[in-house]
Each structure stands twice: as structure tokens, then as C-alpha cells.
Amino acid sequence: MPILLILITLLLPWLIKKYVFNHNPPKNQPPSPPKLPVIGNLHQLSALIHRALQTIGAKHGPVMLLHFGSKPVLVIQSADAAAQFLKDHDLVFSDKPHTSSTRRLMHYRKDVIIAPYGEYWRKMKSICVLQLLSNKRVGSFKFIREEETDLMLEKIGACCLSGSAVDLSQLFDLHSNNVICRASFGRRFGEGESGRRFTKALRELFQLMTNVEIGEFVPWLSWISRVNGFYGRVEKVREELDEFLEMVVEEHISKGLESGSDVNKNNENFVDILLKDSSIDRDGIKAILLDMLAGGTDTTSSTLEWAMTELIRNPTARMKLQTEVREIVQDRHVITDDDLGKMQYLKAVIKETLRLHAPVSLLGRVTREDITVMGYDISANTWVLVNTWAIGRDPASWDQPEMFHPERFLNSSLDFKGLDFKFVPFGHGRRGCPGIALAIASVEVVLANLMHKFEWKLPMGAKCEDLDVMEQPGVNLHRKNPLIVVPTPIGT
Ligand code: HEM
């Protein structure tokens, strides 16, 4: 009897919603795998959502409708379908999914990444592009990328001297963090005790942002997310990051007061520029700064991590890249932009890395109105997930898709602009990534230097081809295990 009562209590809201309020379901919906009452298809997801979706899609096709609780989620997993939905209807698909915890973490959508499509988002995005991410600005941060790369090379050099292995994952994290912090905030923040707390909080943010929590999708089960500590973790990270961002903002305000704004005029950085704009409030400033960290650090370090993983696993590609870099740079120490411009194989290696290991494996969208595409009726407010990871490995788009073969990008017109949906690591259209130039400039200079100055092998005589490629769940796909390698300086 008590069990029956509990069951009725649990199922009642779902039954009411399904049979009382839902009289007019759209006519022709995409195929859906069978779902359970209340939780929908949530039980079919795993921590690595992109992989779970690929598995479900193998049975139900490249376009399917799942339900996260009662939330309809359209999943698209082929280049052709993605083009028909997103390319032809970019405006309808230009909102972003959000949950109560992402809203809380991202200052109630006052940022860019999950801001609702509209005037505010347009203004914030154009500030990011003009003041931080344009080709001109990215060019002006060249000295930062070079200094940070030199610092990394010094650390690797020190490991060579002591004969010890180096944790490249950690070095890439620090490098990306330092580049973004120096470019946007004017100084590094990743070191020391407070730096460690800040980077730990950022890592936790990346984990929390993709957690598919039942309480987010079945509101009357939100007590589960309270009891299992999820909401507590969200609150703790929010407070820690807020404390950090407050400190950054205060530091810039007091610097401005001390020196007088005129003195600073030629020495402004991104935070100073945001502070001068009276139409952006304090929360908006913190939200946009958090976006730069959330959008720019982990994605770039994950690209470096996977590029080095694949180069170590694939000695032929590594030797080809080393030969290219060394022929162009010869025995000069500094690698110039001019050198990088000539490195066609390097560019192909980066593209191939992003095809196989797109850091953002799922592009998220929300429909702004009812729409019919490919004969399917999609309701307004449907979440849309485009599985770029699965598309990057789809045999319909790629020959031998599981193979790391940078040559496929040589003499090819495929670029990062997101025009061809078989390769969209930076997304597409209005909501596409504004940070491509900064990301690629950072990745190129690091990889070229690592190939120019060192030979690489795995510790304890492990075979290169045995290096694992296990992924860690999170908003950006990282290696599960840190990339530990043994460097030897070239010429020894
Ligand atoms: C390899 C590095 C990077 C990758 C792979 C990457 C990928 C992406 C992807 C896939 C999106 C979503 C696009 C869509 O939904 O169509 C995105 C959005 C975004 N990225 Fe990046 N990104 C990278 C680096 C950066 C950097 C360096 C920054 C800035 C410092 C940045 C800032 C942003 C912002 C602000 C958005 C939101 C754009 C909007 O909603 O309008 N990203 N990125």
C-alpha cells in the first residue's frame, strides 16, 4: 500500500501533464527511442553524453527526439541534417539551452555563451570581438603568447635536465589560463594558493555545466539534486568564482582611481574597457569575464592535449610535422608568425585534432518558434544538440574516420568558419565561436615549439601507440588521464 501511494505521488504530475495539458502534440515528430515515465530518456545517457547519443543514434537515425524528463531534446548527428536545420534556419535556432544551475553560474544569462538571442547578446558579443578577439587585438597579444610559451619551454627544459617526465596536461592548462588572464585582465592569476583555488573552481565549473541532473529536468525531483550535493557544489563554485571576479574588478577600479583614467588611456585592457561602459552592470562585467575564462581556457588546452596525444600515438605524422617545422625554422630559437604561416602540415594537424576531438562535443541550441524541417514538426522552445563529435567520426562524411590522418586537410578548402557541417569545431552562424583567431594562434605557436625543440616518448619504455585516448566528462572534452611524457632536447 505505501509503495502504491509513493508511485501515485511520483507519477501524478507526469500523468496530469501528459493527459490534461498536452492535447495537441506536433504532427510529425522525429523518431524517438522508447522513454520511461517521468525521466524520459535520461536513463539512456551516460557521463560521456556525446558517446551515448551516438550509440542511440545508430539505432534511430541522425535526427531523433529525446526527452530529458519532459523537456524535448532534438538530437542531430549527421552533417547533412545539421546543415538542413541550422544553416538554413540559423535565426530560429539561435537561442541557447540553460538550466537553473547554468543560469546561477553564468550570472543569470548576463554573459554571451548562454545569453538569450537579442540586443543584449549582440552588444556583449561585439564588445568581446572588437576589444579582445579581433585579428588586430589577437596580433597585439603576440608578446603574451610568446612569453607564456617560453615559460613553458623553460619548464620542459628543466625536466630534461633532471631526466624527469613532464605533465603536459597541467602545463597546457596553465599556459591557456595565463594567456587568457593576461589578455583580458592584464595579469596572470593561475599561480600561488589563490590561483590554485581559482583554477580548481574553474575546473569544477566545467564539470557542473554538463552534469545532466534529474532535478534540472524534473522540477519536483529537484530535492534529489539537493540531497546528492549537486546544488551545494553549484553554490560553492559560484561563490568562489564570484569572489575571484570581484577581486579582478576591484583591482581595476582602484588602479584607475590611483593613476587617474587619463594616465591609463593607452594602457587599457579588456576589464578597463568594460568598466567604462555605463550600460553594462557589475554582474554583466563579471559574466563576460567568466565567459572568456570558460570559453577560452579549457578549450584551448584540450586541443593542445589531444594534438600531442595523437602526435605521440602516430610517429609518422609526428616526424612529418617535425620535419616541416625544422626545415622552416632551422636553428633559430624564435618561431615567427611568418614561419607559422608557412606550416601547412601544422595547420592540418590542428584541424585533424579538432575533427577527432572537438573540445565542445555538442553544440546547444533552443528553437525560438515552431518550425518544420526535413518534414519534422519541431515545437518552439525545444532544446537542440548537434553532436559535432559524432559528425567528425561519421563514415558518411569521412574516409577511415577513426584514423588520425592530417593529410586529409592538405589541399582542402575546409576551414573553421563552420560553412561545411562535416567540420564545425567552432560552431556555426550567429552563435559561432568568436575566439577562433586567439585559440588557433595559441595552439600553433605552442605545437610548433614543442616539435622544434624536443623529441617525445612515453615514460618507462611504454609504446607510443599504446597511449590511451580515454575522455573525461565535462563541458570540454579532456583526456581522462593526464598526458605524462618524457622530453629530450633536440640535438642531444
Ligand atoms: C580551440 C579552442 C576553442 C574551441 C574549440 C571553441 C569552440 C566553441 C564552440 C563550439 C562554441 C559554440 C558555437 C555554436 O554553438 O555554434 C563556442 C562559443 C563561444 N566561444 Fe569558443 N572555442 C574555443 C576558444 C575560444 C576562445 C579563446 C574564446 C574567448 C576567449 C571563446 C569564446 C567563446 C564565446 C564567448 C562563445 C559564445 C558565442 C555565442 O554564444 O554567441 N572560445 N566556442
Side-chain angles (χ1 to χ4, degrees):
M1 193 62 184
I3 292 181
L4 195 65
L5 258 177
I6 292 172
L7 268 179
I8 290 173
T9 323
L10 288 177
L11 289 177
L12 204 60
W14 178 76
L15 289 169
I16 293 175
K17 195 158 181 210
K18 184 169 171 68
Y19 294 106
V20 180
F21 292 112
N22 196 14
H23 287 308
N24 299 313
K27 280 176 244 127
N28 186 24
Q29 294 197 325
S32 289
K35 57 180 197 247
L36 292 179
V38 182
I39 61 169
N41 301 102
L42 284 176
H43 64 295
Q44 289 171 296
L45 303 182
S46 58
L48 295 172
I49 304 175
H50 56 290
R51 286 185 183 267
L53 294 178
Q54 188 195 40
T55 308
I56 307 172
K59 248 190 181 167
H60 298 274
V63 180
M64 51 184 189
L65 189 70
L66 304 189
H67 287 86
F68 292 2
S70 57
K71 177 108 223 120
V73 182
L74 176 72
V75 179
I76 301 174
Q77 311 201 74
S78 79
D80 179 45
Q84 293 198 49
F85 276 86
L86 295 200
K87 201 173 187 171
D88 299 345
H89 308 281
D90 188 36
L91 187 57
V92 178
F93 290 88
S94 57
D95 258 333
K96 292 303 253 325
H98 51 92
T99 59
S100 69
S101 38
T102 54
R103 284 193 298 279
R104 189 106 185 95
L105 289 166
M106 306 311 277
H107 299 262
Y108 294 99
R109 307 183 76 193
K110 283 194 168 178
D111 68 329
V112 178
I113 296 180
I114 62 163
Y117 176 76
E119 262 320 300
Y120 179 82
W121 160 82
R122 194 171 293 116
K123 180 185 161 135
M124 295 297 254
K125 189 162 184 177
S126 77
I127 291 177
C128 292
V129 172
L130 287 174
Q131 306 297 354
L132 188 70
L133 302 170
S134 65
N135 286 341
K136 191 168 157 224
R137 291 277 171 181
V138 170
S140 73
F141 302 140
K142 182 168 177 267
F143 77 100
I144 297 181
R145 288 191 294 278
E146 285 175 354
E147 284 175 19
E148 292 303 326
T149 307
D150 277 350
L151 207 70
M152 173 193 288
L153 297 174
E154 265 172 40
K155 287 185 181 160
I156 298 174
C159 289
C160 292
L161 285 179
S162 63
S164 52
V166 48
D167 181 343
L168 278 184
S169 301
Q170 200 180 40
L171 286 186
F172 292 155
D173 276 350
L174 189 65
H175 181 273
S176 308
N177 196 291
N178 286 348
V179 169
I180 297 289
C181 283
R182 287 182 66 186
S184 346
F185 311 156
R187 76 169 177 94
R188 293 192 191 104
F189 282 96
E191 277 149 357
E193 184 44 37
S194 63
R196 264 189 293 280
R197 265 184 46 215
F198 150 61
T199 40
K200 197 167 153 236
L202 260 188
R203 253 196 306 276
E204 176 81 339
L205 171 83
F206 300 139
Q207 298 261 310
L208 292 173
M209 281 181 69
T210 43
N211 258 41
V212 180
E213 270 292 307
I214 190 154
E216 295 284 351
F217 298 103
V218 188
W220 53 278
L221 289 183
S222 61
W223 57 270
I224 296 180
S225 305
R226 217 162 291 124
V227 172
N228 71 12
F230 178 74
Y231 288 148
R233 281 169 67 198
V234 169
E235 212 39 46
K236 184 159 178 273
V237 169
R238 195 199 62 77
E239 275 166 22
E240 279 175 0
L241 288 174
D242 197 58
E243 195 182 308
F244 167 75
L245 294 166
E246 274 293 331
M247 189 253 296
V248 171
V249 172
E250 278 303 323
E251 201 174 271
H252 281 76
I253 292 174
S254 54
K255 188 187 77 181
L257 290 177
E258 264 170 36
S259 335
S261 46
D262 282 343
V263 182
N264 277 349
K265 221 170 219 162
N266 298 322
N267 199 15
E268 288 178 328
N269 60 35
F270 190 51
V271 187
D272 300 318
I273 293 164
L274 292 173
L275 278 167
K276 278 206 313 202
D277 190 328
S278 56
S279 67
I280 309 175
D281 66 14
R282 184 94 158 198
D283 262 339
I285 294 178
K286 289 189 286 185
I288 205 168
L289 296 181
L290 188 53
D291 263 10
M292 296 305 101
L293 292 166
T297 55
D298 214 35
T299 44
T300 311
S301 63
S302 137
T303 307
L304 283 165
E305 201 183 36
W306 286 116
M308 280 305 282
T309 301
E310 291 295 359
L311 287 168
I312 286 166
R313 275 160 48 87
N314 294 280
T316 314
R318 186 171 75 241
M319 271 151 58
K320 236 172 152 169
L321 182 56
Q322 282 172 332
T323 307
E324 177 181 83
V325 173
R326 288 168 200 173
E327 271 177 15
I328 291 172
V329 184
Q330 307 217 338
D331 51 8
R332 283 179 286 123
H333 179 77
V334 177
I335 300 181
T336 64
D337 281 353
D338 199 32
D339 295 328
L340 293 172
K342 292 181 196 148
M343 295 179 189
Q344 293 311 312
Y345 198 71
L346 172 71
K347 292 178 200 313
V349 163
I350 296 170
K351 285 182 180 169
E352 180 69 338
T353 303
L354 288 167
R355 175 187 72 83
L356 273 174
H357 306 281
V360 183
S361 56
L362 298 169
L363 304 182
R365 294 284 197 281
V366 174
T367 48
R368 303 173 71 228
E369 54 190 63
D370 291 353
I371 186 167
T372 302
V373 185
M374 293 175 74
Y376 297 127
D377 300 317
I378 311 296
S379 310
N381 218 14
T382 299
W383 276 25
V384 182
L385 297 177
V386 180
N387 193 344
T388 50
W389 182 89
I391 293 174
R393 292 167 184 245
D394 184 355
S397 292
W398 302 98
D399 199 24
Q400 295 187 293
E402 298 294 328
M403 201 176 144
F404 184 78
H405 186 58
E407 286 73 7
R408 68 175 92 232
F409 282 101
L410 292 175
N411 306 317
S412 147
S413 60
L414 271 183
D415 61 18
F416 297 122
K417 291 187 188 128
L419 298 177
D420 187 334
F421 271 85
K422 70 192 244 191
F423 185 60
V424 280
F426 292 96
H428 155 84
R430 289 171 171 79
R431 298 308 293 236
C433 178
I436 303 178
L438 181 55
I440 296 300
S442 303
V443 171
E444 281 184 351
V445 72
V446 171
L447 273 187
N449 272 289
L450 296 185
M451 290 296 116
H452 182 238
K453 297 180 175 52
F454 302 98
E455 296 288 357
W456 300 95
K457 57 183 185 198
L458 293 179
M460 293 186 290
K463 281 197 199 143
C464 288
E465 56 271 32
D466 292 342
L467 179 60
D468 75 86
V469 283
M470 283 188 291
E471 298 158 342
Q472 158 126 331
V475 71
N476 302 311
L477 279 188
H478 268 279
R479 286 178 54 81
K480 182 169 183 189
N481 303 310
L483 181 58
I484 313 280
V485 280
V486 181
T488 322
I490 295 288
T492 56

